[in-house]
Amino acid sequence: MHRLFAELEPSVTVTEQNLADRVRYILRSNTFDVTELERLRREAVPSSGENAAAEDAAPQLAEQTANVDAAVNTPVVVDDDDGTVAQELELEQMRSTLEEAIVETRSTTLENRPRLPRLALSKRNRAVVRALNPMLVTYLEASRDLCDTDSILFGAALAVCRIIGAKLSTAGRATGQSSAIPAWRIRIEERIAKARALIGRLICFRSGNTRPRIVRTVRMAFAGTNVSLSQPDIMQKLTERIDDLKQRIAAWGKRIRRYTERSTRFNQNRLFQSDQKRLYKSLERPIVSGTGPAPNQADMVAFWRSLWSEPVNHNEGPWTEVVASQCASITPMDPVIITPDDVAEAVRRAPNWKSPGLDGLHHYWLKGFMMYENGNENG
């Protein structure tokens, strides 16, 4: 590739690694679509045998792209990354899948929505998104508010995932939050549970219970030692073993408390640096509703009437005049008007698979779904 580039552009000096990095960046960033890349490849490396085939294939490729973009009632041919035909998707089935997904999303809360996976930026996936674009016009034009629009877009993303066969999480997004019990705590709690069960068996044996299961457990507890169940000081050995298990349980419990306090301090320090308001709100104690008798209505009316009905003369100091004179020279800020172009530019610059908000919708879907009006694409 470097030798061919040097022949085509002898005036440009570039290394082999730099050229490979630029090609990799162009392919990953999707700067050009498949049709544009094919056209550039034919212009860069013309061939007599390929020209005739390219001229015959160009109308077919343009017709296929127009059919996908216009969403006419014909089968959509979806190509795989290697250029072979992968499968045919009927537009009626796609429209039915889209309608079912939108209805399902509208009746589902944000917490119970499935987690949308990250899709590969392949020609097959992009073709499905382009085919669903014209079908969204009817839904988006009839949208009542922003929440309904978000439900429509999430339903369309869900339909794309179902059409291409992507794996979806049916448990909802609320189960995968950071409030889950960490693995280290689960392991320690399992040790504590096993130790407590063993203590119970040892106490039963010391009390005279000689059932086979109890005896077998006691022998396993003293496995690897020189302790025998028939020796005279077996009761003392049982007591020592029980005390040792109790001390281990206490040590494991202190380890859980120490790890939990350390994790709490770490999270609070990090939250203090990022969002102090959220930290102070989390430190507030929950309000516990009283269980006593209800307050008297007359007392409540009298209390609030004394606060809001009677005039109050505030004794303001001279500092209020100083502050008012200093603020008089401040020019008020112009009102901020956010236009659709501003939103479109912000979405365009955002990463495709950045962590979504409460709605669970990635920027990839906001970029991929367009409204077609008079031959133009509008986000």
Side-chain angles (χ1 to χ4, degrees), residues 90-352:
E90 294 289 344
L91 290 180
E92 292 299 331
Q93 297 179 357
M94 298 174 63
R95 186 176 289 106
S96 177
T97 303
L98 175 63
E99 183 178 359
E100 293 177 359
I102 292 177
V103 173
E104 178 183 346
T105 304
R106 284 175 172 172
S107 59
T108 306
T109 59
L110 294 178
E111 294 78 11
N112 295 329
R113 285 183 178 180
R115 187 186 299 273
L116 296 176
R118 297 184 178 185
L119 304 182
L121 300 179
S122 61
K123 294 185 292 183
R124 174 175 178 262
N125 297 340
R126 287 195 296 266
V128 175
V129 173
R130 288 197 303 267
L132 289 183
N133 267 327
M135 305 179 189
L136 290 176
V137 176
T138 305
Y139 296 98
L140 294 175
E141 289 179 349
S143 177
R144 300 182 299 271
D145 50 19
L146 188 59
C147 295
D148 191 32
T149 302
D150 179 79
S151 300
I152 295 172
L153 294 178
F154 190 93
L158 185 61
V160 172
C161 295
R162 291 176 177 175
I163 291 173
I164 65 177
K167 185 177 180 181
L168 293 171
S169 175
T170 58
R173 295 180 293 115
T175 58
Q177 300 298 326
S178 59
S179 60
I181 301 177
W184 61 265
R185 181 167 181 173
I186 295 177
R187 289 193 298 266
I188 296 178
E189 290 179 350
E190 290 178 354
R191 297 176 190 172
I192 293 175
K194 292 180 180 180
R196 287 176 177 173
L198 182 56
I199 289 175
R201 299 288 178 86
L202 295 177
I203 293 176
C204 290
F205 182 80
R206 190 176 59 178
S207 301
N209 191 340
T210 58
R211 288 185 298 177
R213 186 175 60 179
I214 300 297
V215 175
R216 184 169 59 252
T217 304
V218 174
R219 287 177 178 174
M220 292 177 60
F222 289 104
T225 63
N226 295 326
V227 178
S228 175
L229 300 184
S230 60
Q231 63 187 37
D233 59 344
I234 186 61
M235 294 301 173
Q236 181 182 356
K237 297 295 183 180
L238 287 172
T239 303
E240 293 176 357
R241 181 61 174 166
I242 292 172
D243 293 340
D244 178 68
L245 291 174
K246 289 182 178 180
Q247 292 177 5
R248 290 189 180 186
I249 291 175
W252 288 332
K254 290 181 180 179
R255 184 180 300 179
I256 290 178
R257 289 192 295 270
R258 185 171 66 252
Y259 287 171
T260 303
E261 291 175 358
R262 189 264 175 193
S263 178
T264 302
R265 289 195 302 270
F266 177 79
N267 293 331
Q268 288 179 352
N269 292 336
R270 186 174 57 181
L271 190 60
F272 180 80
Q273 298 177 356
S274 59
D275 193 350
Q276 298 182 10
K277 179 179 178 181
R278 184 180 174 186
L279 171 63
Y280 295 138
K281 188 175 181 179
S282 64
L283 296 177
E284 295 179 356
R285 296 182 178 180
I287 301 176
V288 181
S289 59
T291 57
N296 189 5
Q297 182 178 359
D299 295 340
M300 292 182 60
V301 172
F303 174 78
W304 290 108
R305 182 173 294 170
S306 63
L307 294 178
W308 298 104
S309 299
E310 297 179 3
V312 179
N313 296 324
H314 298 283
N315 186 13
E316 297 180 353
W319 62 270
T320 56
E321 298 179 358
V322 176
V323 174
S325 61
Q326 293 177 353
C327 296
S329 59
I330 298 177
T331 304
M333 185 180 65
D334 297 333
V336 179
I337 301 176
I338 301 177
T339 62
D341 295 336
D342 297 335
V343 177
E345 181 66 17
V347 172
R348 187 185 66 84
R349 293 178 176 272
N352 286 339

